C-alpha cells in the first residue's frame, strides 16, 4: 500500500489582528469574499486561532485579506508553513 503524502499546511498568526483592527471585518466577511472553492468557516476560525490548515486554503484567505489592504502584506512574512 502506498503512503499518502502529507498536505502542506500553513498558519496566519496575525489574521485576527488584521481582520479586526485594520479591516473591521467579521469572519463571514472573509468567507463572502472568497472566490470559488473556499475553505469552510470552521477552517477560517481555526486559522484565526493559530492552527495550521491546508496551504491552499490559507493562501486563499491571505489573498482576500491582502487584496483588501491593497497588497501591502508579504506572504513570506505572514504565512508560516509546516508539514
Amino acid at each position: 500500500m502506498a503512503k499518502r503524502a502529507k498536505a502542506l499546511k500553513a498558519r496566519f498568526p496575525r489574521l485576527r489582528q488584521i481582520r479586526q483592527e485594520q479591516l473591521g471585518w467579521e469572519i463571514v466577511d472573509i468567507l463572502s469574499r472568497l472566490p470559488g472553492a473556499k475553505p469552510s468557516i470552521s477552517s477560517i476560525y481555526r486559522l484565526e486561532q493559530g492552527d495550521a490548515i491546508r496551504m491552499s486554503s490559507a493562501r486563499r484567505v491571505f489573498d482576500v485579506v491582502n487584496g483588501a489592504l491593497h497588497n501591502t502584506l508579504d506572504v513570506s512574512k505572514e504565512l508560516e508553513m509546516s508539514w
Side-chain angles (χ1 to χ4, degrees), residues 16-33:
R16 177 175 287 157
Q17 175 190 356
I18 293 168
R19 177 184 66 77
Q20 290 177 338
E21 296 174 9
Q22 293 180 307
L23 297 173
W25 287 358
E26 298 293 327
I27 296 281
V28 292
D29 296 323
I30 293 173
L31 188 64
S32 68
R33 288 169 171 83

Side-chain angles (χ1 to χ4, degrees), residues 3-68:
K3 265 191 164 181
R4 196 173 198 190
K6 283 189 172 184
L8 184 61
K9 296 194 172 206
R11 294 176 53 241
F12 189 175
R14 290 190 337 124
L15 177 59
R16 177 175 287 157
Q17 175 190 356
I18 293 168
R19 177 184 66 77
Q20 290 177 338
E21 296 174 9
Q22 293 180 307
L23 297 173
W25 287 358
E26 298 293 327
I27 296 281
V28 292
D29 296 323
I30 293 173
L31 188 64
S32 68
R33 288 169 171 83
L34 286 166
K38 42 185 122 178
S40 67
I41 194 164
S42 61
S43 290
I44 298 172
Y45 275 115
R46 285 196 311 271
L47 185 63
E48 184 176 81
Q49 293 169 358
D51 294 337
I53 65 171
R54 287 183 180 264
M55 178 62 180
S56 60
S57 296
R59 182 59 195 245
R60 284 187 190 111
V61 172
F62 173 81
D63 289 342
V64 166
V65 170
N66 195 29

Side-chain angles (χ1 to χ4, degrees), residues 12 14 59 62 66 71-79:
F12 189 175
R14 290 190 337 124
R59 182 59 195 245
F62 173 81
N66 195 29
N71 298 318
T72 58
L73 301 176
D74 182 0
V75 69
S76 65
K77 292 179 183 175
E78 298 296 339
L79 291 184

